[in-house]
Amino acid sequence: VRTIDWKNSTIFLLDQTVLPAEERVLAIREVADLAEAIISLRVRGAMALGVAGGLGIALAIERARERGLDLQTAAQEAAEVLKATRPTAVNLTWGIDRVLTALTLGPSAAIDTAEALIEADIRACRAMAARGAALLRELLPGLSRVLTHCNTGALAAVEWGSALGVIRAAHGDGLISEVIASETRPLLQGSRLTAWELGRLDIPYRICVDAAGASLIASRYVGAVITGADRIAANGDVANKIGTYAHALAADRSGIPLIVVAPESTIDPHTPTGSGIPVEHRPDAEVLQWNGSRTAPPGASAVNPAFDVTPAELVTAIVTEQRVIRPAKGELAAVRP
Amino acid sequence: VRTIDWKNSTIFLLDQTVLPAEERVLAIREVADLAEAIISLRVRGAMALGVAGGLGIALAIERARERGLDLQTAAQEAAEVLKATRPTAVNLTWGIDRVLTALTLGPSAAIDTAEALIEADIRACRAMAARGAALLRELLPGLSRVLTHCNTGALAAVEWGSALGVIRAAHGDGLISEVIASETRPLLQGSRLTAWELGRLDIPYRICVDAAGASLIASRYVGAVITGADRIAANGDVANKIGTYAHALAADRSGIPLIVVAPESTIDPHTPTGSGIPVEHRPDAEVLQWNGSRTAPPGASAVNPAFDVTPAELVTAIVTEQRVIRPAKGELAAVRP
């Protein structure tokens, strides 16, 4: 089962909110339903959102065609709705804009471009995995545990994934003994999704609370931190799931590499530094309740930023499908060699 | 209601595992029941554990007296059982040893010493609160938010508390606009207990996931980090609830003070540095399930250290009932002025 797919002018999504308890595939034919799925994190992850954004415009075009509406208007309206769903996730906008641009060549070109995002995503993941595993061979002291945060596996892309794809390849190469997945509160993408993927891949893993990451790094329990990214500023500052920054601080202090794995489309040359990246704040309820039952006292409120920004100087390497960037050594993400 | 109290040769505990949903007081007459209550965190917090340890020996003496058993043997056996419950918590051992020493003067002296721990704890909390609030007046840039971790309030002592006692006093002095309580996974002492206390004290607060602490510090959303401690090494390294270290790293990088509030009994002159502090690892289930329902996939395991160690150089100040120590400036906790 692919995380996201396109058949018969319909988007098929594996609903990530019910994993690992249930594997439910959603068939989505309306832009409003896709927007709901993105907001509710039924589909999530930088790369999957890029594909979802592009396919969302294809969906709008197909429905407008069936209903005899203006395609351009429908596509523009869909773009507006979809871009607003996750403000930090730059891949979403990237995927949308790719298909909007193709629409100037006609609806078939737009649909083809959207469909092509699927195969391109798979190719990019394979290329990142190979390049990342080679980098790990260079950086790891030997057979090591690695710490990863949130979910960056097949569920965050079409197949295979970004950071977890690198881990999968490096485990296949005999470089990784065990993966430590930080659970990733509030929505537990680590303990629900990453754990589920690692189990299916037969890669040994343990789950820790997010707060334990820094301490496991300080004690050299892990030899590297490997994460994805939701947006990378031109200077190499990395916005990623809340909690990444604390892992990065600890890795820096202990001299352990922090490796960020993300496709070129995650690099946003229009945002000079991390301070310009909008950080999505999500509903209080994610923090205050659990599985529908309240854990905090009545009347409590929360502050719930979904992402944080790790300064470039703490990022040992960014691995894309095309290159390895070394922000900590002053290499700018926006500058191509 | 006091967190822990002693009447009619019985320990009374407010069961902290069922808060905030329920306020249940347990009457404990057997050492085995107290050990279970400590292991299950029905009573927890450095200062409350000191009192619980001392009262536990008093309990053993009273029961042995009633049953015509040897008091010395009963007290020694109780000490062994109780000390093994929480290896990191040095106050527990401190309270136990205080009462064991008094027992050499006879059972009445031991019981009196145990009972006196209650009033001494209250006095120590008041002294820390006053000294800590004065320090905050010096360190905070003005009316500020502060971040605290885990629970260090009345529930972690007999009354009032350590770090949260300082916050309460400083809020009363008009220094604090709002408290950010990090939820403190896996057992949510922040969102369950600290939030409950702050609500009752009418102090404005918000809850964040632990992973958000570092980012809220980096963005200057908070002006100081204030925590308790479970053991302080002779050099000023601080063992505290898992997650403290990440907050400390972030505070250090952003030039925001980290203030640790703990009684003198938390300082362990026999442990030279933090590397000598035993870190308690707790059951996997705390991480893998919630309220009895599993969140991680079947077969998943965890790594669940309950504490981490923050190096002395990251600790701006340690506030005790007697003094302010500045570890980051090289002042050793074990050296008295």
Side-chain angles (χ1 to χ4, degrees):
Chain A
V1 176
R2 283 180 171 173
T3 299
I4 180 164
D5 213 347
W6 173 261
K7 271 176 206 149
N8 305 323
S9 307
T10 304
I11 297 174
F12 291 88
L13 292 180
L14 187 58
D15 184 349
Q16 303 195 29
T17 61
V18 297
L19 282 173
E22 194 184 334
E23 293 176 36
R24 184 191 300 167
V25 175
L26 306 173
I28 290 182
R29 290 180 58 81
E30 301 294 339
V31 170
D33 295 336
L34 179 63
E36 187 281 331
I38 294 172
I39 291 170
S40 308
L41 311 190
R42 300 185 199 286
V43 60
R44 41 140 303 278
M47 301 187 74
L49 287 176
V51 176
L55 292 178
I57 303 306
L59 208 62
I61 293 167
E62 292 285 30
R63 291 301 87 75
R65 203 146 54 169
E66 289 163 15
R67 292 163 190 164
L69 302 173
D70 182 65
L71 304 190
Q72 197 60 245
T73 307
Q76 289 294 348
E77 284 174 1
E80 209 169 298
V81 167
L82 294 173
K83 283 184 183 180
T85 53
R86 307 286 317 271
T88 307
V90 76
N91 296 72
L92 179 63
T93 292
W94 170 87
I96 290 167
D97 287 343
R98 283 283 291 259
V99 179
L100 283 182
T101 303
L103 183 57
T104 59
L105 305 174
S108 299
I111 306 293
D112 289 351
T113 299
E115 283 197 76
L117 292 175
I118 295 173
E119 293 305 324
D121 184 89
I122 295 170
R123 279 195 307 277
C125 285
R126 298 297 171 118
M128 289 189 289
R131 185 169 281 109
L135 180 69
L136 279 180
R137 186 176 293 281
E138 179 193 323
L139 293 177
L140 285 177
L143 186 66
S144 298
R145 287 196 192 91
V146 297
L147 175 71
T148 190
H149 190 58
C150 198
N151 174 268
T152 58
L155 292 170
V158 175
E159 284 180 8
W160 200 270
S162 57
L164 206 60
V166 168
I167 288 171
R168 181 175 173 180
H171 177 261
D173 290 354
L175 300 171
I176 291 175
S177 58
E178 190 176 48
V179 179
I180 307 302
S182 39
E183 63 176 2
T184 318
R185 279 280 290 153
L187 296 175
L188 299 179
Q189 291 91 337
S191 59
R192 290 191 302 110
L193 308 180
T194 298
W196 182 75
E197 288 199 46
L198 289 168
R200 286 163 66 109
L201 294 168
D202 267 334
I203 299 176
Y205 71 92
R206 286 173 195 273
I207 298 167
C208 69
V209 295
D210 303 318
S215 156
L216 296 175
I217 292 165
S219 64
R220 305 297 199 283
Y221 188 81
V222 297
V225 178
I226 310 179
T227 74
D230 292 84
R231 188 184 303 213
I232 298 171
N235 72 335
D237 290 349
V238 172
N240 192 46
K241 177 58 57 191
I242 194 79
T244 305
Y245 175 52
H247 294 343
L249 286 168
D252 181 60
R253 184 177 171 96
S254 293
I256 282 173
L258 166 63
I259 299 163
V260 171
V261 185
E264 291 285 336
S265 52
T266 305
I267 298 169
D268 178 9
H270 307 298
T271 302
T273 71
S275 64
I277 299 175
V279 170
E280 176 185 357
H281 280 249
R282 295 189 50 89
D284 285 15
E286 292 182 352
V287 178
L288 303 176
Q289 64 184 35
W290 186 268
N291 232 349
S293 83
R294 182 98 176 173
T295 51
S301 57
V303 52
N304 187 18
F307 302 96
D308 58 27
V309 176
T310 296
E313 64 260 36
L314 304 182
V315 179
T316 310
I318 297 170
V319 177
T320 80
E321 70 277 34
Q322 293 177 14
R323 54 186 174 144
V324 175
I325 308 154
R326 310 266 188 165
K329 291 188 174 162
E331 289 181 22
L332 301 178
V335 175
R336 308 299 296 267
Chain B
V1 175
R2 282 178 172 175
T3 300
I4 180 164
D5 213 347
W6 172 261
K7 271 176 205 148
N8 306 324
S9 306
T10 304
I11 297 174
F12 291 89
L13 293 180
L14 187 58
D15 184 348
Q16 302 193 29
T17 61
V18 296
L19 282 172
E22 194 184 332
E23 294 176 34
R24 184 191 301 167
V25 175
L26 306 173
I28 289 182
R29 290 181 58 80
E30 301 294 335
V31 171
D33 294 336
L34 179 62
E36 187 282 330
I38 294 172
I39 291 171
S40 307
L41 310 189
R42 301 186 198 288
V43 59
R44 41 137 310 273
M47 301 188 75
L49 286 176
V51 176
L55 291 177
I57 304 306
L59 208 61
I61 293 167
E62 293 284 31
R63 291 300 87 75
R65 202 146 57 168
E66 289 163 16
R67 291 160 191 167
L69 302 172
D70 181 64
L71 304 190
Q72 197 59 246
T73 308
Q76 288 294 345
E77 283 173 2
E80 209 169 297
V81 166
L82 294 173
K83 282 183 183 180
T85 53
R86 305 287 316 270
T88 308
V90 75
N91 297 70
L92 179 63
T93 292
W94 170 87
I96 290 167
D97 288 344
R98 282 282 292 258
V99 180
L100 283 182
T101 304
L103 184 57
T104 60
L105 305 173
S108 299
I111 306 293
D112 289 351
T113 299
E115 283 197 78
L117 292 175
I118 295 173
E119 291 305 323
D121 184 87
I122 294 170
R123 278 196 307 277
C125 284
R126 297 296 171 118
M128 289 189 291
R131 186 170 279 108
L135 180 68
L136 279 180
R137 185 175 293 280
E138 179 193 323
L139 293 177
L140 285 177
L143 186 66
S144 298
R145 289 196 191 90
V146 296
L147 174 71
T148 190
H149 190 57
C150 197
N151 174 268
T152 58
L155 292 169
V158 174
E159 285 181 7
W160 201 270
S162 57
L164 205 60
V166 167
I167 288 170
R168 180 175 172 178
H171 177 262
D173 290 354
L175 301 171
I176 291 175
S177 59
E178 189 176 48
V179 179
I180 307 302
S182 41
E183 62 175 3
T184 317
R185 277 279 291 155
L187 295 175
L188 300 178
Q189 291 91 337
S191 59
R192 290 192 302 111
L193 308 180
T194 298
W196 182 75
E197 288 199 45
L198 289 168
R200 286 164 65 109
L201 294 169
D202 268 333
I203 299 176
Y205 71 92
R206 285 173 197 272
I207 299 167
C208 70
V209 296
D210 303 317
S215 156
L216 296 175
I217 292 165
S219 64
R220 305 299 198 283
Y221 188 80
V222 297
V225 179
I226 310 179
T227 74
D230 292 85
R231 189 185 302 214
I232 298 171
N235 72 335
D237 289 351
V238 172
N240 192 46
K241 178 58 58 193
I242 194 79
T244 305
Y245 175 53
H247 294 343
L249 286 168
D252 181 59
R253 185 178 170 94
S254 293
I256 281 174
L258 166 63
I259 299 163
V260 172
V261 185
E264 291 285 334
S265 52
T266 305
I267 298 170
D268 177 10
H270 307 299
T271 302
T273 72
S275 64
I277 298 176
V279 170
E280 176 185 356
H281 281 249
R282 295 190 50 90
D284 286 14
E286 291 182 355
V287 178
L288 303 175
Q289 64 182 35
W290 184 262
N291 234 348
S293 84
R294 182 99 175 174
T295 49
S301 57
V303 52
N304 187 18
F307 301 96
D308 59 26
V309 176
T310 296
E313 65 261 35
L314 303 182
V315 180
T316 310
I318 297 170
V319 177
T320 79
E321 71 276 34
Q322 293 177 13
R323 55 186 172 145
V324 174
I325 308 155
R326 309 268 188 163
K329 292 191 175 161
E331 289 182 20
L332 301 178
V335 174
R336 307 301 296 267

